[in-house]
Amino acid sequence: MKTLLVSIVAVTLSTAAVSARLAPSNSHQQERELLQLPGTNKSACELIHQEDLPEECSCREPDAFGLVIECLKPFESAYFNDTIGMKINLDPCNPDGSSLSLDVTEEEHNVDITIVGVKAGEEQNFPIPGLSIVVPTIGHLGVDVAVLIYGNPDKLTVKVGLNACMAAGPQHQYCASGIPGLSRVLPWYVLKGTYEFGDFCNSTNTTTSSLPLSSVSDEDDKDRVTMFE
């Protein structure tokens, strides 16, 4: 009888131990609740209003920290007849400041350029080598990648696209927007607005923060290691 009683107690304790190991920890539960809070349940692509992107562009999220926009834009006009590829990697939650990188391609002139590390507070025009537009009576306008990023994750203003300009004296320039006919073609912007990533970045930081090893199961630990390899 004593032997049977001891066996029952041992089985009960063993079952309780297994149940405790498989049950979600308080930390895991808090993470799930945070992800369900109002304002934190939108993806990065939703926050930039992907439905407003040019029809030639698509948005995806290869990881938990930002987004990638890819475009293949054909231009068909008497001024500019070409196809430009653009890939924008936006990193709004970078602890060193929001930033973006770009890849721009053009097949006819074998253009393949990479622009990295444009950080919040910068506005730049990057010439695309070999690409220009000839406008009668005006001249050649070089095609540029126009980039502006300003602010912080709470209110991040981003403007990325293509433009064409030429210098006209020390303090003046002609740009496509001021030339009849060409103004219907350029500038062309992929992103142009102010976006709110504050809650997204906060929820991302909470979700990806490391937890004590004792609070995760072996399977969770394997998943976490694979994600950061």
Side-chain angles (χ1 to χ4, degrees):
M1 187 68 168
K2 289 182 180 180
T3 303
L4 178 61
L5 180 61
V6 170
S7 299
I8 293 173
V9 171
V11 170
T12 302
L13 291 175
S14 177
T15 303
V18 171
S19 300
R21 187 171 67 87
L22 295 179
S25 65
N26 290 336
S27 298
H28 269 99
Q29 187 64 33
Q30 288 170 1
E31 285 186 49
R32 294 192 186 99
E33 290 172 355
L34 269 173
L35 291 174
Q36 294 169 356
L37 285 174
T40 64
N41 57 355
K42 287 188 177 182
S43 69
C45 286
E46 289 175 321
L47 290 172
I48 56 107
H49 310 295
Q50 58 185 335
E51 68 277 5
D52 295 333
L53 293 174
E55 62 182 359
E56 303 86 359
C57 302
S58 62
C59 182
R60 61 185 177 88
E61 299 170 49
D63 55 44
F65 304 99
L67 58 89
V68 172
I69 300 172
E70 294 176 293
C71 310
L72 189 63
K73 169 65 175 176
F75 292 91
E76 300 174 351
S77 77
Y79 288 110
F80 189 38
N81 192 343
D82 209 336
T83 299
I84 306 294
M86 183 179 290
K87 179 181 177 181
I88 303 167
N89 192 325
L90 181 61
D91 184 8
C93 306
N94 192 315
D96 295 326
S98 302
S99 64
L100 61 83
S101 301
L102 304 99
D103 292 301
V104 180
T105 59
E106 189 270 353
E107 189 171 332
E108 184 177 345
H109 297 86
N110 198 31
V111 172
D112 188 350
I113 62 174
T114 299
I115 301 164
V116 298
V118 184
K119 295 187 176 182
E122 296 184 27
E123 179 179 8
Q124 297 190 54
N125 291 324
F126 300 92
I128 301 178
L131 290 189
S132 64
I133 299 172
V134 180
V135 180
T137 73
I138 294 179
H140 290 72
L141 280 69
V143 180
D144 300 330
V145 181
V147 180
L148 176 148
I149 179 168
Y150 181 80
N152 56 56
D154 290 330
K155 285 195 178 295
L156 188 65
T157 298
V158 184
K159 196 173 179 181
V160 182
L162 299 174
N163 202 359
C165 297
M166 66 171 288
Q171 295 183 335
H172 187 69
Q173 61 179 4
Y174 282 115
C175 289
S177 59
I179 300 173
L182 187 55
S183 61
R184 291 188 300 228
V185 181
L186 293 172
W188 175 77
Y189 288 106
V190 179
L191 289 174
K192 186 180 181 183
T194 298
Y195 311 103
E196 299 179 359
F197 290 100
D199 288 337
F200 170 81
C201 292
N202 289 338
S203 64
T204 298
N205 290 337
T206 301
T207 305
T208 57
S209 62
S210 59
L211 295 172
L213 291 177
S214 59
S215 69
V216 296
S217 68
D218 293 341
E219 194 63 35
D220 287 339
D221 199 34
K222 289 178 183 177
D223 292 340
R224 193 178 301 277
V225 172
T226 302
M227 183 174 69
F228 287 100
E229 285 180 345

